[in-house]
Amino acid sequence: MALSLAGRMECIWIAEQNGKFLGCIGLVKVNEDTAQLRWLLVEPVARGSGLGKDLMNRFLEYCKTKDYKRVMLWTVNKLPAARSLYDRFGFFLTEEKPETSLWGQRLAYRKG
């Protein structure tokens, strides 16, 4: 992940409880007008608690304060809970790439 963070990460929010990692969300600056949502992760123990929603709210509020005009993300087709969360926050599918082998699975990239 260090290489994917190099030089472009603007901000990352990390949720912890009693010193244990529960989730995170990051922002990468694409250009002056566009932010990219990266690394939305919620540990299984915290799923359904509203943590994902809270992370998304903090992320989008930050984007507003920085006057980003566009926020985009890439995801994969086998994350239905994440996709549902993205939909609730107004993201929609704008591009899909053919399925390929990634992390030992057949996945299709989706842009929203």
Side-chain angles (χ1 to χ4, degrees), residues 12-44:
I12 189 163
W13 294 261
I14 298 172
E16 295 178 326
Q17 185 175 38
N18 299 323
K20 293 185 180 177
F21 175 84
L22 292 180
C24 65
I25 191 169
L27 183 148
V28 169
K29 181 177 184 175
V30 175
N31 58 46
E32 293 303 314
D33 293 331
T34 307
Q36 181 178 0
L37 186 157
R38 297 286 306 266
W39 314 290
L40 175 59
L41 305 169
V42 177
E43 288 291 319

PDB file of all heavy atoms in Angstrom, residues 12-44:
ATOM      1  N   ILE A  12      -6.399  10.771   5.476  1.00  0.00           N
ATOM      2  CA  ILE A  12      -6.953   9.454   5.792  1.00  0.00           C
ATOM      3  C   ILE A  12      -7.557   9.531   7.192  1.00  0.00           C
ATOM      4  O   ILE A  12      -7.018  10.170   8.085  1.00  0.00           O
ATOM      5  CB  ILE A  12      -5.892   8.325   5.690  1.00  0.00           C
ATOM      6  CG1 ILE A  12      -6.554   6.967   5.799  1.00  0.00           C
ATOM      7  CG2 ILE A  12      -4.775   8.512   6.686  1.00  0.00           C
ATOM      8  CD1 ILE A  12      -5.698   5.816   5.323  1.00  0.00           C
ATOM      9  N   TRP A  13      -8.724   8.928   7.337  1.00  0.00           N
ATOM     10  CA  TRP A  13      -9.409   8.874   8.632  1.00  0.00           C
ATOM     11  C   TRP A  13      -9.349   7.433   9.093  1.00  0.00           C
ATOM     12  O   TRP A  13      -9.668   6.513   8.350  1.00  0.00           O
ATOM     13  CB  TRP A  13     -10.865   9.308   8.488  1.00  0.00           C
ATOM     14  CG  TRP A  13     -11.038  10.739   8.115  1.00  0.00           C
ATOM     15  CD1 TRP A  13     -11.327  11.776   8.953  1.00  0.00           C
ATOM     16  CD2 TRP A  13     -10.962  11.302   6.805  1.00  0.00           C
ATOM     17  NE1 TRP A  13     -11.424  12.940   8.236  1.00  0.00           N
ATOM     18  CE2 TRP A  13     -11.203  12.684   6.920  1.00  0.00           C
ATOM     19  CE3 TRP A  13     -10.692  10.783   5.532  1.00  0.00           C
ATOM     20  CZ2 TRP A  13     -11.196  13.544   5.830  1.00  0.00           C
ATOM     21  CZ3 TRP A  13     -10.674  11.636   4.445  1.00  0.00           C
ATOM     22  CH2 TRP A  13     -10.931  13.006   4.604  1.00  0.00           C
ATOM     23  N   ILE A  14      -8.965   7.225  10.339  1.00  0.00           N
ATOM     24  CA  ILE A  14      -8.843   5.878  10.897  1.00  0.00           C
ATOM     25  C   ILE A  14      -9.724   5.792  12.133  1.00  0.00           C
ATOM     26  O   ILE A  14      -9.628   6.636  13.032  1.00  0.00           O
ATOM     27  CB  ILE A  14      -7.381   5.553  11.253  1.00  0.00           C
ATOM     28  CG1 ILE A  14      -6.533   5.594   9.981  1.00  0.00           C
ATOM     29  CG2 ILE A  14      -7.279   4.201  11.953  1.00  0.00           C
ATOM     30  CD1 ILE A  14      -5.045   5.482  10.216  1.00  0.00           C
ATOM     31  N   ALA A  15     -10.582   4.792  12.181  1.00  0.00           N
ATOM     32  CA  ALA A  15     -11.460   4.571  13.333  1.00  0.00           C
ATOM     33  C   ALA A  15     -10.865   3.460  14.191  1.00  0.00           C
ATOM     34  O   ALA A  15     -10.512   2.390  13.687  1.00  0.00           O
ATOM     35  CB  ALA A  15     -12.854   4.175  12.860  1.00  0.00           C
ATOM     36  N   GLU A  16     -10.775   3.745  15.482  1.00  0.00           N
ATOM     37  CA  GLU A  16     -10.269   2.772  16.443  1.00  0.00           C
ATOM     38  C   GLU A  16     -11.180   2.740  17.660  1.00  0.00           C
ATOM     39  O   GLU A  16     -11.874   3.714  17.954  1.00  0.00           O
ATOM     40  CB  GLU A  16      -8.877   3.168  16.934  1.00  0.00           C
ATOM     41  CG  GLU A  16      -7.809   3.169  15.903  1.00  0.00           C
ATOM     42  CD  GLU A  16      -6.479   3.627  16.487  1.00  0.00           C
ATOM     43  OE1 GLU A  16      -6.470   4.485  17.389  1.00  0.00           O
ATOM     44  OE2 GLU A  16      -5.457   3.112  16.031  1.00  0.00           O
ATOM     45  N   GLN A  17     -11.139   1.635  18.342  1.00  0.00           N
ATOM     46  CA  GLN A  17     -11.825   1.525  19.627  1.00  0.00           C
ATOM     47  C   GLN A  17     -10.923   0.728  20.547  1.00  0.00           C
ATOM     48  O   GLN A  17     -10.521  -0.389  20.209  1.00  0.00           O
ATOM     49  CB  GLN A  17     -13.182   0.831  19.470  1.00  0.00           C
ATOM     50  CG  GLN A  17     -13.974   0.794  20.764  1.00  0.00           C
ATOM     51  CD  GLN A  17     -15.354   0.205  20.536  1.00  0.00           C
ATOM     52  OE1 GLN A  17     -15.534  -0.723  19.765  1.00  0.00           O
ATOM     53  NE2 GLN A  17     -16.325   0.767  21.225  1.00  0.00           N
ATOM     54  N   ASN A  18     -10.598   1.304  21.694  1.00  0.00           N
ATOM     55  CA  ASN A  18      -9.687   0.668  22.648  1.00  0.00           C
ATOM     56  C   ASN A  18      -8.381   0.243  21.984  1.00  0.00           C
ATOM     57  O   ASN A  18      -7.860  -0.837  22.231  1.00  0.00           O
ATOM     58  CB  ASN A  18     -10.364  -0.526  23.325  1.00  0.00           C
ATOM     59  CG  ASN A  18     -11.586  -0.116  24.101  1.00  0.00           C
ATOM     60  OD1 ASN A  18     -11.618   0.946  24.719  1.00  0.00           O
ATOM     61  ND2 ASN A  18     -12.615  -0.943  24.059  1.00  0.00           N
ATOM     62  N   GLY A  19      -7.880   1.097  21.089  1.00  0.00           N
ATOM     63  CA  GLY A  19      -6.615   0.833  20.417  1.00  0.00           C
ATOM     64  C   GLY A  19      -6.676  -0.169  19.285  1.00  0.00           C
ATOM     65  O   GLY A  19      -5.647  -0.504  18.711  1.00  0.00           O
ATOM     66  N   LYS A  20      -7.867  -0.656  18.948  1.00  0.00           N
ATOM     67  CA  LYS A  20      -8.002  -1.642  17.870  1.00  0.00           C
ATOM     68  C   LYS A  20      -8.597  -0.991  16.629  1.00  0.00           C
ATOM     69  O   LYS A  20      -9.579  -0.252  16.708  1.00  0.00           O
ATOM     70  CB  LYS A  20      -8.889  -2.804  18.309  1.00  0.00           C
ATOM     71  CG  LYS A  20      -8.247  -3.625  19.397  1.00  0.00           C
ATOM     72  CD  LYS A  20      -9.072  -4.839  19.727  1.00  0.00           C
ATOM     73  CE  LYS A  20      -8.368  -5.607  20.838  1.00  0.00           C
ATOM     74  NZ  LYS A  20      -9.090  -6.752  21.280  1.00  0.00           N
ATOM     75  N   PHE A  21      -7.994  -1.272  15.481  1.00  0.00           N
ATOM     76  CA  PHE A  21      -8.448  -0.746  14.201  1.00  0.00           C
ATOM     77  C   PHE A  21      -9.846  -1.270  13.872  1.00  0.00           C
ATOM     78  O   PHE A  21     -10.104  -2.462  13.951  1.00  0.00           O
ATOM     79  CB  PHE A  21      -7.466  -1.177  13.103  1.00  0.00           C
ATOM     80  CG  PHE A  21      -7.884  -0.793  11.720  1.00  0.00           C
ATOM     81  CD1 PHE A  21      -7.596   0.469  11.233  1.00  0.00           C
ATOM     82  CD2 PHE A  21      -8.552  -1.696  10.902  1.00  0.00           C
ATOM     83  CE1 PHE A  21      -7.970   0.828   9.942  1.00  0.00           C
ATOM     84  CE2 PHE A  21      -8.927  -1.347   9.621  1.00  0.00           C
ATOM     85  CZ  PHE A  21      -8.636  -0.075   9.143  1.00  0.00           C
ATOM     86  N   LEU A  22     -10.759  -0.351  13.526  1.00  0.00           N
ATOM     87  CA  LEU A  22     -12.109  -0.740  13.117  1.00  0.00           C
ATOM     88  C   LEU A  22     -12.397  -0.413  11.666  1.00  0.00           C
ATOM     89  O   LEU A  22     -13.241  -1.050  11.038  1.00  0.00           O
ATOM     90  CB  LEU A  22     -13.164  -0.051  13.992  1.00  0.00           C
ATOM     91  CG  LEU A  22     -13.229  -0.479  15.436  1.00  0.00           C
ATOM     92  CD1 LEU A  22     -14.327   0.285  16.160  1.00  0.00           C
ATOM     93  CD2 LEU A  22     -13.452  -1.979  15.552  1.00  0.00           C
ATOM     94  N   GLY A  23     -11.725   0.613  11.134  1.00  0.00           N
ATOM     95  CA  GLY A  23     -11.984   0.981   9.748  1.00  0.00           C
ATOM     96  C   GLY A  23     -11.223   2.224   9.351  1.00  0.00           C
ATOM     97  O   GLY A  23     -10.582   2.876  10.173  1.00  0.00           O
ATOM     98  N   CYS A  24     -11.320   2.537   8.052  1.00  0.00           N
ATOM     99  CA  CYS A  24     -10.649   3.726   7.556  1.00  0.00           C
ATOM    100  C   CYS A  24     -11.243   4.142   6.220  1.00  0.00           C
ATOM    101  O   CYS A  24     -11.970   3.386   5.576  1.00  0.00           O
ATOM    102  CB  CYS A  24      -9.148   3.494   7.405  1.00  0.00           C
ATOM    103  SG  CYS A  24      -8.732   2.260   6.165  1.00  0.00           S
ATOM    104  N   ILE A  25     -10.912   5.360   5.829  1.00  0.00           N
ATOM    105  CA  ILE A  25     -11.253   5.877   4.508  1.00  0.00           C
ATOM    106  C   ILE A  25     -10.183   6.893   4.167  1.00  0.00           C
ATOM    107  O   ILE A  25      -9.685   7.603   5.038  1.00  0.00           O
ATOM    108  CB  ILE A  25     -12.671   6.496   4.478  1.00  0.00           C
ATOM    109  CG1 ILE A  25     -13.126   6.783   3.054  1.00  0.00           C
ATOM    110  CG2 ILE A  25     -12.741   7.741   5.340  1.00  0.00           C
ATOM    111  CD1 ILE A  25     -14.614   7.149   2.953  1.00  0.00           C
ATOM    112  N   GLY A  26      -9.790   6.938   2.910  1.00  0.00           N
ATOM    113  CA  GLY A  26      -8.743   7.862   2.499  1.00  0.00           C
ATOM    114  C   GLY A  26      -9.149   8.688   1.299  1.00  0.00           C
ATOM    115  O   GLY A  26     -10.068   8.335   0.560  1.00  0.00           O
ATOM    116  N   LEU A  27      -8.440   9.791   1.124  1.00  0.00           N
ATOM    117  CA  LEU A  27      -8.678  10.691   0.008  1.00  0.00           C
ATOM    118  C   LEU A  27      -7.373  10.901  -0.735  1.00  0.00           C
ATOM    119  O   LEU A  27      -6.348  11.226  -0.129  1.00  0.00           O
ATOM    120  CB  LEU A  27      -9.196  12.039   0.522  1.00  0.00           C
ATOM    121  CG  LEU A  27      -9.562  13.065  -0.542  1.00  0.00           C
ATOM    122  CD1 LEU A  27     -10.704  13.936  -0.055  1.00  0.00           C
ATOM    123  CD2 LEU A  27      -8.398  13.918  -0.965  1.00  0.00           C
ATOM    124  N   VAL A  28      -7.426  10.706  -2.035  1.00  0.00           N
ATOM    125  CA  VAL A  28      -6.307  10.986  -2.919  1.00  0.00           C
ATOM    126  C   VAL A  28      -6.722  12.126  -3.830  1.00  0.00           C
ATOM    127  O   VAL A  28      -7.811  12.094  -4.417  1.00  0.00           O
ATOM    128  CB  VAL A  28      -5.938   9.733  -3.758  1.00  0.00           C
ATOM    129  CG1 VAL A  28      -4.963  10.088  -4.858  1.00  0.00           C
ATOM    130  CG2 VAL A  28      -5.365   8.651  -2.864  1.00  0.00           C
ATOM    131  N   LYS A  29      -5.889  13.129  -3.921  1.00  0.00           N
ATOM    132  CA  LYS A  29      -6.156  14.265  -4.805  1.00  0.00           C
ATOM    133  C   LYS A  29      -5.793  13.866  -6.228  1.00  0.00           C
ATOM    134  O   LYS A  29      -4.641  13.557  -6.520  1.00  0.00           O
ATOM    135  CB  LYS A  29      -5.336  15.470  -4.359  1.00  0.00           C
ATOM    136  CG  LYS A  29      -5.566  16.697  -5.187  1.00  0.00           C
ATOM    137  CD  LYS A  29      -4.763  17.860  -4.627  1.00  0.00           C
ATOM    138  CE  LYS A  29      -5.055  19.134  -5.374  1.00  0.00           C
ATOM    139  NZ  LYS A  29      -4.369  20.271  -4.748  1.00  0.00           N
ATOM    140  N   VAL A  30      -6.801  13.867  -7.113  1.00  0.00           N
ATOM    141  CA  VAL A  30      -6.571  13.546  -8.522  1.00  0.00           C
ATOM    142  C   VAL A  30      -6.093  14.801  -9.246  1.00  0.00           C
ATOM    143  O   VAL A  30      -5.119  14.775  -9.993  1.00  0.00           O
ATOM    144  CB  VAL A  30      -7.849  12.987  -9.178  1.00  0.00           C
ATOM    145  CG1 VAL A  30      -7.658  12.753 -10.663  1.00  0.00           C
ATOM    146  CG2 VAL A  30      -8.276  11.695  -8.481  1.00  0.00           C
ATOM    147  N   ASN A  31      -6.804  15.910  -9.035  1.00  0.00           N
ATOM    148  CA  ASN A  31      -6.420  17.222  -9.556  1.00  0.00           C
ATOM    149  C   ASN A  31      -7.116  18.277  -8.693  1.00  0.00           C
ATOM    150  O   ASN A  31      -7.751  17.930  -7.693  1.00  0.00           O
ATOM    151  CB  ASN A  31      -6.736  17.366 -11.054  1.00  0.00           C
ATOM    152  CG  ASN A  31      -8.194  17.153 -11.372  1.00  0.00           C
ATOM    153  OD1 ASN A  31      -9.087  17.682 -10.690  1.00  0.00           O
ATOM    154  ND2 ASN A  31      -8.478  16.374 -12.413  1.00  0.00           N
ATOM    155  N   GLU A  32      -7.048  19.522  -9.070  1.00  0.00           N
ATOM    156  CA  GLU A  32      -7.615  20.597  -8.249  1.00  0.00           C
ATOM    157  C   GLU A  32      -9.114  20.454  -8.019  1.00  0.00           C
ATOM    158  O   GLU A  32      -9.637  20.921  -7.012  1.00  0.00           O
ATOM    159  CB  GLU A  32      -7.314  21.961  -8.876  1.00  0.00           C
ATOM    160  CG  GLU A  32      -5.851  22.327  -8.862  1.00  0.00           C
ATOM    161  CD  GLU A  32      -5.240  22.320  -7.472  1.00  0.00           C
ATOM    162  OE1 GLU A  32      -5.853  22.870  -6.535  1.00  0.00           O
ATOM    163  OE2 GLU A  32      -4.143  21.750  -7.324  1.00  0.00           O
ATOM    164  N   ASP A  33      -9.820  19.843  -8.953  1.00  0.00           N
ATOM    165  CA  ASP A  33     -11.281  19.712  -8.873  1.00  0.00           C
ATOM    166  C   ASP A  33     -11.766  18.345  -8.424  1.00  0.00           C
ATOM    167  O   ASP A  33     -12.932  18.185  -8.088  1.00  0.00           O
ATOM    168  CB  ASP A  33     -11.918  20.017 -10.233  1.00  0.00           C
ATOM    169  CG  ASP A  33     -11.773  21.463 -10.642  1.00  0.00           C
ATOM    170  OD1 ASP A  33     -11.704  22.330  -9.748  1.00  0.00           O
ATOM    171  OD2 ASP A  33     -11.723  21.735 -11.854  1.00  0.00           O
ATOM    172  N   THR A  34     -10.900  17.335  -8.448  1.00  0.00           N
ATOM    173  CA  THR A  34     -11.343  15.950  -8.254  1.00  0.00           C
ATOM    174  C   THR A  34     -10.610  15.246  -7.125  1.00  0.00           C
ATOM    175  O   THR A  34      -9.382  15.222  -7.087  1.00  0.00           O
ATOM    176  CB  THR A  34     -11.157  15.142  -9.559  1.00  0.00           C
ATOM    177  OG1 THR A  34     -11.795  15.830 -10.629  1.00  0.00           O
ATOM    178  CG2 THR A  34     -11.744  13.742  -9.428  1.00  0.00           C
ATOM    179  N   ALA A  35     -11.402  14.663  -6.229  1.00  0.00           N
ATOM    180  CA  ALA A  35     -10.878  13.813  -5.152  1.00  0.00           C
ATOM    181  C   ALA A  35     -11.268  12.369  -5.457  1.00  0.00           C
ATOM    182  O   ALA A  35     -12.328  12.107  -6.028  1.00  0.00           O
ATOM    183  CB  ALA A  35     -11.473  14.233  -3.818  1.00  0.00           C
ATOM    184  N   GLN A  36     -10.423  11.444  -5.066  1.00  0.00           N
ATOM    185  CA  GLN A  36     -10.725  10.022  -5.226  1.00  0.00           C
ATOM    186  C   GLN A  36     -10.839   9.380  -3.853  1.00  0.00           C
ATOM    187  O   GLN A  36      -9.952   9.507  -3.022  1.00  0.00           O
ATOM    188  CB  GLN A  36      -9.646   9.324  -6.034  1.00  0.00           C
ATOM    189  CG  GLN A  36      -9.944   7.844  -6.253  1.00  0.00           C
ATOM    190  CD  GLN A  36      -8.902   7.151  -7.107  1.00  0.00           C
ATOM    191  OE1 GLN A  36      -7.938   7.756  -7.552  1.00  0.00           O
ATOM    192  NE2 GLN A  36      -9.098   5.868  -7.322  1.00  0.00           N
ATOM    193  N   LEU A  37     -11.951   8.713  -3.628  1.00  0.00           N
ATOM    194  CA  LEU A  37     -12.157   7.927  -2.412  1.00  0.00           C
ATOM    195  C   LEU A  37     -11.320   6.663  -2.541  1.00  0.00           C
ATOM    196  O   LEU A  37     -11.399   5.968  -3.542  1.00  0.00           O
ATOM    197  CB  LEU A  37     -13.632   7.584  -2.270  1.00  0.00           C
ATOM    198  CG  LEU A  37     -14.073   6.883  -0.988  1.00  0.00           C
ATOM    199  CD1 LEU A  37     -15.543   7.142  -0.769  1.00  0.00           C
ATOM    200  CD2 LEU A  37     -13.791   5.415  -0.995  1.00  0.00           C
ATOM    201  N   ARG A  38     -10.536   6.372  -1.498  1.00  0.00           N
ATOM    202  CA  ARG A  38      -9.710   5.164  -1.492  1.00  0.00           C
ATOM    203  C   ARG A  38      -9.807   4.492  -0.136  1.00  0.00           C
ATOM    204  O   ARG A  38     -10.078   5.129   0.870  1.00  0.00           O
ATOM    205  CB  ARG A  38      -8.233   5.504  -1.751  1.00  0.00           C
ATOM    206  CG  ARG A  38      -7.915   6.114  -3.095  1.00  0.00           C
ATOM    207  CD  ARG A  38      -7.974   5.111  -4.244  1.00  0.00           C
ATOM    208  NE  ARG A  38      -7.172   3.934  -4.063  1.00  0.00           N
ATOM    209  CZ  ARG A  38      -5.931   3.777  -4.512  1.00  0.00           C
ATOM    210  NH1 ARG A  38      -5.322   4.737  -5.138  1.00  0.00           N
ATOM    211  NH2 ARG A  38      -5.288   2.634  -4.313  1.00  0.00           N
ATOM    212  N   TRP A  39      -9.560   3.247  -0.097  1.00  0.00           N
ATOM    213  CA  TRP A  39      -9.357   2.465   1.119  1.00  0.00           C
ATOM    214  C   TRP A  39     -10.508   2.536   2.118  1.00  0.00           C
ATOM    215  O   TRP A  39     -10.285   2.640   3.324  1.00  0.00           O
ATOM    216  CB  TRP A  39      -8.049   2.858   1.813  1.00  0.00           C
ATOM    217  CG  TRP A  39      -6.902   2.969   0.877  1.00  0.00           C
ATOM    218  CD1 TRP A  39      -6.277   1.956   0.219  1.00  0.00           C
ATOM    219  CD2 TRP A  39      -6.249   4.168   0.461  1.00  0.00           C
ATOM    220  NE1 TRP A  39      -5.284   2.456  -0.572  1.00  0.00           N
ATOM    221  CE2 TRP A  39      -5.243   3.802  -0.436  1.00  0.00           C
ATOM    222  CE3 TRP A  39      -6.420   5.523   0.770  1.00  0.00           C
ATOM    223  CZ2 TRP A  39      -4.414   4.742  -1.043  1.00  0.00           C
ATOM    224  CZ3 TRP A  39      -5.595   6.444   0.171  1.00  0.00           C
ATOM    225  CH2 TRP A  39      -4.610   6.060  -0.722  1.00  0.00           C
ATOM    226  N   LEU A  40     -11.747   2.485   1.649  1.00  0.00           N
ATOM    227  CA  LEU A  40     -12.856   2.375   2.599  1.00  0.00           C
ATOM    228  C   LEU A  40     -12.873   0.938   3.102  1.00  0.00           C
ATOM    229  O   LEU A  40     -13.179   0.006   2.360  1.00  0.00           O
ATOM    230  CB  LEU A  40     -14.201   2.737   1.971  1.00  0.00           C
ATOM    231  CG  LEU A  40     -15.411   2.531   2.886  1.00  0.00           C
ATOM    232  CD1 LEU A  40     -15.299   3.358   4.158  1.00  0.00           C
ATOM    233  CD2 LEU A  40     -16.696   2.857   2.162  1.00  0.00           C
ATOM    234  N   LEU A  41     -12.509   0.777   4.350  1.00  0.00           N
ATOM    235  CA  LEU A  41     -12.447  -0.549   4.975  1.00  0.00           C
ATOM    236  C   LEU A  41     -13.170  -0.493   6.311  1.00  0.00           C
ATOM    237  O   LEU A  41     -12.960   0.432   7.094  1.00  0.00           O
ATOM    238  CB  LEU A  41     -10.995  -0.967   5.235  1.00  0.00           C
ATOM    239  CG  LEU A  41     -10.040  -0.958   4.039  1.00  0.00           C
ATOM    240  CD1 LEU A  41      -8.615  -1.121   4.510  1.00  0.00           C
ATOM    241  CD2 LEU A  41     -10.423  -2.040   3.056  1.00  0.00           C
ATOM    242  N   VAL A  42     -14.017  -1.477   6.555  1.00  0.00           N
ATOM    243  CA  VAL A  42     -14.676  -1.608   7.860  1.00  0.00           C
ATOM    244  C   VAL A  42     -14.506  -3.060   8.291  1.00  0.00           C
ATOM    245  O   VAL A  42     -14.896  -3.982   7.567  1.00  0.00           O
ATOM    246  CB  VAL A  42     -16.174  -1.218   7.799  1.00  0.00           C
ATOM    247  CG1 VAL A  42     -16.846  -1.431   9.144  1.00  0.00           C
ATOM    248  CG2 VAL A  42     -16.341   0.241   7.344  1.00  0.00           C
ATOM    249  N   GLU A  43     -13.902  -3.238   9.443  1.00  0.00           N
ATOM    250  CA  GLU A  43     -13.684  -4.587   9.964  1.00  0.00           C
ATOM    251  C   GLU A  43     -15.028  -5.288  10.193  1.00  0.00           C
ATOM    252  O   GLU A  43     -16.011  -4.640  10.559  1.00  0.00           O
ATOM    253  CB  GLU A  43     -12.912  -4.523  11.283  1.00  0.00           C
ATOM    254  CG  GLU A  43     -11.466  -4.152  11.125  1.00  0.00           C
ATOM    255  CD  GLU A  43     -10.647  -5.234  10.440  1.00  0.00           C
ATOM    256  OE1 GLU A  43     -10.836  -6.422  10.739  1.00  0.00           O
ATOM    257  OE2 GLU A  43      -9.803  -4.870   9.599  1.00  0.00           O
ATOM    258  N   PRO A  44     -15.071  -6.612  10.010  1.00  0.00           N
ATOM    259  CA  PRO A  44     -16.333  -7.344  10.194  1.00  0.00           C
ATOM    260  C   PRO A  44     -17.015  -7.060  11.535  1.00  0.00           C
ATOM    261  O   PRO A  44     -18.237  -6.933  11.592  1.00  0.00           O
ATOM    262  CB  PRO A  44     -15.908  -8.810  10.085  1.00  0.00           C
ATOM    263  CG  PRO A  44     -14.714  -8.776   9.181  1.00  0.00           C
ATOM    264  CD  PRO A  44     -13.999  -7.490   9.532  1.00  0.00           C
TER     265      PRO A  44
END
